[in-house]
Amino acid sequence: MSDIKLLTLRIEGPARGKARPRTVTHKGTTWTYTPDPGEWTENLRALAFQEWGTPLWAGPVGIRLVVRHAIPTSTSSKKRRQALMGTPCTVRPDLNNIMGAVLDGLARTPFGHKMLFAKEDAQIAEVHATKVWDEYHSTEIEVWQREAGEVVAP
């Protein structure tokens, strides 16, 4: 087991959310599938593997996600200043779908092996996520290993 306690990663460009499951009926047969995670998740997976390797933590894990969404160029300078000073960013994709794509990307290496979580999403004991306006698109991810018995104040 690795002694690394905090891993950080920054991905440039707009974030993509996890696609919703689809149900298809063909000639009387119905099946449900989740569409391919897409290029953004695959890039996240490859970058995380390149930066972090495969620490494979077994205990509780915390994750912090900051999604930065670029302010449209047509926005007035007054609204641009307001956005940069903390106006909530409520545009798509939804924050929970982005979190789903991030967790999917961090669960396995580009080769299909377990990368970060020995038990997948069940290990996530703490989540902090926010979506803010900024000059450029980017996603910042921090993952840390929680200590056994650690109590986090609400």
Side-chain angles (χ1 to χ4, degrees):
M1 186 162 133
S2 176
D3 60 352
I4 298 173
K5 298 293 181 193
L6 175 70
L7 301 173
T8 60
L9 189 66
R10 182 182 173 100
I11 304 153
E12 301 298 331
R16 296 284 309 265
K18 181 177 181 176
R20 297 200 184 285
R22 308 277 193 244
T23 302
V24 178
T25 303
H26 181 68
K27 295 183 180 180
T29 303
T30 302
W31 66 91
T32 303
Y33 70 97
T34 302
D36 181 37
E39 186 178 331
W40 188 80
T41 303
E42 293 301 322
N43 288 341
L44 162 66
R45 182 174 286 145
L47 185 59
F49 180 67
Q50 177 184 354
E51 292 288 320
W52 301 344
T54 55
L56 202 61
W57 292 338
V61 174
I63 186 167
R64 181 179 152 276
L65 178 68
V66 178
V67 178
R68 299 183 185 283
H69 192 82
I71 301 169
T73 55
S74 61
T75 305
S76 70
S77 59
K78 179 181 176 182
K79 287 187 178 182
R80 180 176 292 276
R81 281 192 304 274
Q82 288 175 338
L84 291 173
M85 290 186 348
T87 302
C89 178
T90 56
V91 298
R92 292 189 182 267
D94 299 344
L95 191 55
N96 60 327
N97 292 336
I98 296 169
M99 179 62 83
V102 167
L103 295 178
D104 284 353
L106 297 179
R108 302 227 171 247
T109 69
F111 313 109
H113 305 293
K114 290 182 179 180
M115 179 165 48
L116 188 59
F117 312 121
K119 299 176 190 167
E120 308 261 340
D121 296 353
Q123 288 177 250
I124 298 169
E126 184 177 352
V127 174
H128 301 273
T130 187
K131 190 166 57 167
V132 296
W133 291 107
D134 204 340
E135 294 293 333
Y136 304 100
H137 292 288
S138 69
T139 304
E140 298 169 8
I141 303 165
E142 287 184 358
V143 182
W144 62 92
Q145 199 171 16
R146 301 254 327 259
E147 297 295 327
E150 178 183 0
V151 178
V152 179

